[in-house]
């Protein structure tokens, strides 16, 4: 635990009965934040860490959804999706992102494929769909969208994780994902079919957890990087989602008490917010992580200022 952060957190927890906002989710351990805004509400899709204090690997049984109308009070809608929802899946519920298109909510998840006639196993990406941001969600395809055998550049079996999806102004949808290398592919309008070849590339210091979005004609690829092992968050920009991507630097340093961290970015009521996870809750750690949020600021030229990690988090908005 970072001592300064712990001291700040404890002070905020105790001073005058005030509660620290960060981590924003305290009832369970959560990781891999993926926020969206829909009809005046922020919906936060998360992973769920349930490993024991002494565990040396993840135990992630399901994905949760939280919502807030003011960025301060968060409601847990429960475990709305699990690898068990997908007949072809087994194992942990890794990073995921849900986006809305034409009134439907597509929740792109990374989990693991059973060893069967389709795949020898390894990480895979699936899609669940619902008419509402809080479900009920069902498997949109009945099979995985991406299996380990579809990408060959990385030799490890868990490289096909951490999908991020966005729809460009011309209606073309793109999915980026990957551990060790970043891969991208176009998606068809159905959002459940690939629309072309998969391309892999290696942004500077890239490890995993990409988050891709567009702002003022500039595309952003924000990702968990090697950092100092623990991870940091770094980013690239481009004028075309197909690249080339220009490396822009570090936006978030190490987080307290967790090897990984993971970006999720959203604009809400005129402000930009940076979601991430750390291990700062009591008994927390690399396999018992917690989601936080702090402000994110852009410079005039579109570059991103360094994120300041705080215990108090962000102010409530009306
Ligand atoms: O939460 C499991 C894995 O840890 C995610 O898929 C990665 O991005 C890292 O946060």
């Amino acid at each position: 635990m970072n001592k300064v952060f712990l001291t700040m957190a404890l002070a905020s927890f105790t001073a005058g009965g005030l509660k620290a906002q960060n981590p924003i989710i305290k009832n369970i351990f959560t990781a891999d934040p993926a926020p969206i805004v829909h009809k005046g509400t922020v919906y936060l899709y998360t992973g769920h860490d349930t490993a024991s204090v002494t565990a040396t690997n993840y135990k992630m049984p399901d994905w949760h959804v939280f919502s807030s109308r003011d960025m301060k009070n968060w409601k847990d809608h429960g475990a709305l999706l699990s690898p068990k929802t997908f007949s072809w899946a087994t194992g942990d519920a890794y990073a995921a992102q849900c986006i809305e298109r034409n009134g439907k909510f597509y929740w792109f998840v990374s989990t693991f494929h059973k060893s069967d006639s389709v795949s020898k196993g390894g990480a895979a990406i699936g899609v669940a769909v619902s008419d509402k941001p809080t479900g009920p969600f069902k498997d949109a395809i009945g099979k995985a969208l991406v299996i380990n055998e579809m990408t060959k550049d990385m030799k490890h079996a868990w490289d096909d994780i951490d999908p991020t999806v966005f729809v460009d102004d011309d209606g073309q949808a793109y999915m980026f994902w990957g551990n060790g290398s970043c891969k991208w592919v176009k998606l068809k309008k159905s959002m459940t079919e690939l629309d072309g070849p998969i391309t892999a590339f290696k942004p500077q210091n890239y490890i995993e957890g990409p988050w891709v979005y567009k702002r003022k004609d500039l595309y952003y690829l924000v990702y968990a990087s090697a950092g100092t092992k623990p991870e940091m968050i770094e980013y690239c920009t481009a004028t075309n989602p197909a690249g080339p991507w220009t490396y822009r630097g570090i936006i978030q340093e190490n987080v307290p008490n967790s090897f990984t961290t993971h970006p999720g970015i959203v604009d809400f009521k005129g402000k930009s917010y940076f979601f991430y996870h750390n291990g700062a809750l009591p008994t927390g750690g690399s396999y018992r992580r917690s989601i936080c949020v702090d402000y994110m600021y852009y410079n005039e030229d579109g570059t991103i200022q360094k994120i300041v990690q705080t215990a108090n988090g962000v102010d409530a908005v009306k």
Side-chain angles (χ1 to χ4, degrees), residues 31-32 58 60 93-95 110 161-162 208-209 260-262 277 289:
D32 306 328
Y58 298 112
M60 304 185 75
Y94 271 28
S110 50
I161 61 171
D162 297 0
E208 59 187 359
T260 66
T261 186
H262 192 106
H277 66 230
R289 298 163 292 177

Side-chain angles (χ1 to χ4, degrees), residues 98 100 136:
C98 184
E100 190 256 332

Side-chain angles (χ1 to χ4, degrees), residues 1-313:
M1 165 77 75
N2 173 317
K3 277 188 188 147
V4 173
F5 189 93
L6 177 61
T7 309
M8 287 163 59
L10 288 176
S12 292
F13 268 117
T14 51
L18 288 176
K19 286 189 176 173
Q21 180 172 6
N22 277 330
I24 53 172
I25 310 297
K26 298 181 177 70
N27 60 320
I28 56 172
F29 290 102
T30 55
D32 306 328
I36 55 169
V37 174
H38 178 68
K39 293 189 177 168
T41 297
V42 179
Y43 291 92
L44 178 62
Y45 297 78
T46 80
H48 178 198
D49 278 338
T50 63
S52 72
V53 176
T54 52
T56 54
N57 207 345
Y58 298 112
K59 189 173 177 196
M60 304 185 75
D62 44 41
W63 294 275
H64 275 239
V65 183
F66 298 80
S67 69
S68 176
R69 294 180 69 81
D70 64 0
M71 292 298 294
K72 198 86 181 170
N73 296 292
W74 292 92
K75 176 181 175 186
D76 185 355
H77 295 271
L80 299 189
L81 191 63
S82 135
K84 292 193 172 75
T85 308
F86 304 96
S87 60
W88 49 267
T90 182
D92 288 309
Y94 271 28
Q97 183 183 6
C98 184
I99 68 157
E100 190 256 332
R101 183 169 204 183
N102 296 331
K104 290 202 178 297
F105 294 82
Y106 296 92
W107 200 346
F108 294 83
V109 305
S110 50
T111 181
F112 294 82
H113 206 288
K114 288 175 181 167
S115 180
D116 59 17
S117 59
V118 174
S119 171
K120 289 196 177 117
I125 293 170
V127 195
V129 67
S130 174
D131 293 331
K132 290 191 291 183
T134 51
F137 284 92
K138 62 178 187 198
D139 187 347
I141 322 178
K143 62 178 185 176
L145 181 63
V146 172
I147 59 173
N148 183 38
E149 286 81 355
M150 287 181 183
T151 63
K152 307 246 185 268
D153 63 309
M154 290 284 116
K155 299 303 164 213
H156 56 291
W158 65 93
D159 64 314
D160 293 298
I161 61 171
D162 297 0
T164 177
V165 175
F166 89 104
V167 182
D168 209 347
D169 300 332
D170 62 1
Q172 179 63 59
Y174 296 84
M175 181 169 74
F176 290 70
W177 74 98
N179 173 291
S181 69
C182 187
K183 305 126 196 344
W184 71 272
V185 70
K186 289 181 180 174
L187 297 180
K188 293 190 178 167
K189 284 205 170 74
S190 66
M191 303 300 276
T192 57
E193 297 164 276
L194 306 187
D195 193 14
I198 295 171
T199 303
F201 63 112
K202 285 198 175 181
Q204 188 171 324
N205 304 330
Y206 180 89
I207 295 289
E208 59 187 359
W211 184 268
V212 174
Y213 63 103
K214 186 180 189 180
R215 180 183 179 270
K216 293 185 180 173
D217 293 332
L218 199 58
Y219 299 87
Y220 290 79
L221 167 58
V222 181
Y223 50 90
S225 64
T228 52
K229 299 185 180 172
E231 292 178 345
M232 294 181 183
I233 302 293
E234 307 190 23
Y235 79 113
C236 297
T237 60
T239 52
N240 188 313
W245 291 93
T246 303
Y247 177 72
R248 296 288 181 189
I250 298 169
I251 55 172
Q252 189 201 39
E253 305 277 347
N254 303 135
V255 298
N257 210 26
S258 169
F259 184 88
T260 66
T261 186
H262 192 106
I265 294 163
V266 81
D267 281 0
F268 181 60
K269 296 186 178 172
K271 290 192 168 145
S272 298
Y273 295 94
F274 183 82
F275 291 78
Y276 57 98
H277 66 230
N278 64 23
L281 269 192
T283 78
S286 287
Y287 307 107
R288 293 161 68 81
R289 298 163 292 177
S290 295
I291 288 173
C292 301
V293 64
D294 277 302
Y295 291 115
M296 182 166 169
Y297 298 103
Y298 295 90
N299 297 312
E300 278 295 309
D301 64 359
T303 53
I304 302 170
Q305 295 179 11
K306 273 257 182 89
I307 303 295
V308 178
Q309 297 176 49
T310 70
N312 287 334

